[in-house]
Amino acid sequence: MNILYIFAHPEPKSFNSSMKEMAIRHLKEKGNEVKLSDLHVMDFKPVLDQDDFLQRKKNDSFNAFLEQMNASKEGTFSEDIMNEMEKVKWADFLIFHFPIYFSGMPAIMKGWIDRTFAAGFAFNPVKQNVYEEGLLKGRKAMMVITTGAEEEWYSKGGKHGDIRELLRYITHCTFEYVGLEVMDTHLTFGAGKMSEQRGNEELDRYREKLNRIFPQT
């Protein structure tokens, strides 16, 4: 299977980085092809703006949707976007790995989605190519998420509320919107406070999840 691993964490020595490195090594050992987009290492630009387009449809005013539709047709996105789009087209499965910031994804990950899942490439509401007809249908996606708070904060009735309800706005309104089949999110709570033993247990739990999703090839 071709797997694109999109990763957003600024610290190479973090637990998240250990998870990422283990996952990529394990997936390759099982016979999968893996490409990594490590957004902080890439210094990926998160802001969708005029510089995303080599040729503008309109120069007197900026309409991001119109420019994305035109660039999708003409192949005139900036090089960094085109590179990520090629990875998405190659992939059968996309893994989005990030820590929770204010109950959502970090800006650099959101920016990757804003710029890469462009109108005309990932969806086209003009032709109703959304949800079941989204342009990325046939691919699967999964989020791998760590939190600073413990699970009780992210449970129903907890201080933050049910994390799966919070994440539904990503799984449904973003991933399913562009046609992706969404797998169950892998969650690790209290990542910044773990003992070495618990960290190893969490790595084992993630490895077991990968084994269930990606059988030996």
Side-chain angles (χ1 to χ4, degrees):
M1 187 173 290
N2 294 340
I3 302 166
L4 175 57
Y5 205 107
I6 308 104
F7 180 72
H9 196 287
E11 176 49 62
K13 297 178 182 178
S14 66
F15 178 71
N16 279 272
S17 291
S18 296
M19 292 180 71
K20 175 257 297 180
E21 291 168 7
M22 180 280 294
I24 292 175
R25 181 174 61 253
H26 188 66
L27 290 168
K28 287 182 176 180
E29 287 173 353
K30 291 174 68 66
N32 301 286
E33 296 291 328
V34 183
K35 292 185 178 180
L36 170 66
S37 288
D38 190 329
L39 303 185
H40 285 280
V41 170
M42 295 161 60
D43 195 22
F44 188 81
K45 180 174 80 74
V47 179
L48 193 168
D49 58 22
Q50 294 93 326
D51 293 336
D52 288 358
F53 310 98
L54 302 180
Q55 297 178 14
R56 293 280 299 279
K57 180 73 172 179
K58 291 183 64 178
N59 290 310
D60 57 337
S61 63
F62 179 62
N63 182 312
F65 176 80
L66 179 65
E67 297 298 343
Q68 285 188 334
M69 291 291 289
N70 180 65
S72 293
K73 179 180 178 182
E74 302 296 334
T76 53
F77 287 102
S78 59
E79 183 179 3
D80 61 340
I81 295 176
M82 293 296 290
N83 289 341
E84 297 308 296
M85 287 178 167
E86 288 301 314
K87 295 177 190 176
V88 172
K89 288 190 286 187
W90 166 86
D92 304 305
F93 201 112
L94 288 75
I95 297 177
F96 296 84
H97 184 160
F98 57 90
I100 283 284
Y101 289 176
F102 288 101
S103 299
M105 59 177 59
I108 198 168
M109 180 68 83
K110 179 61 162 60
W112 187 94
I113 292 172
D114 289 346
R115 299 178 69 223
T116 306
F117 283 4
F121 172 75
F123 68 101
N124 186 341
V126 176
K127 296 183 178 181
Q128 294 300 300
N129 294 130
V130 297
Y131 290 111
E132 291 82 0
E133 299 301 322
L135 298 178
L136 299 186
K137 66 180 180 180
R139 297 171 177 83
K140 296 181 180 180
M142 178 177 74
M143 288 188 291
V144 176
I145 291 175
T146 62
T147 72
E150 296 294 345
E151 185 172 5
E152 63 185 46
W153 281 50
Y154 279 106
S155 58
K156 188 174 182 179
K159 293 180 182 295
H160 290 325
D162 186 349
I163 192 170
R164 296 190 182 279
E165 183 62 29
L166 296 171
L167 294 175
R168 188 174 182 276
Y169 296 100
I170 303 174
T171 57
H172 181 65
C173 298
T174 300
F175 296 151
E176 291 180 349
Y177 182 74
V178 300
L180 295 169
E181 179 184 347
V182 182
M183 310 298 287
D184 186 53
T185 299
H186 184 82
L187 290 160
T188 301
F189 297 96
K193 307 171 185 176
M194 292 189 298
S195 64
E196 182 177 353
Q197 178 180 345
R198 187 184 163 208
N200 290 330
E201 291 171 354
E202 289 295 339
L203 288 174
D204 288 341
R205 190 171 67 87
Y206 184 29
R207 187 182 295 109
E208 291 170 4
K209 176 76 168 278
L210 294 173
N211 284 335
R212 291 194 298 272
I213 297 174
F214 304 100
Q216 185 76 37
T217 59

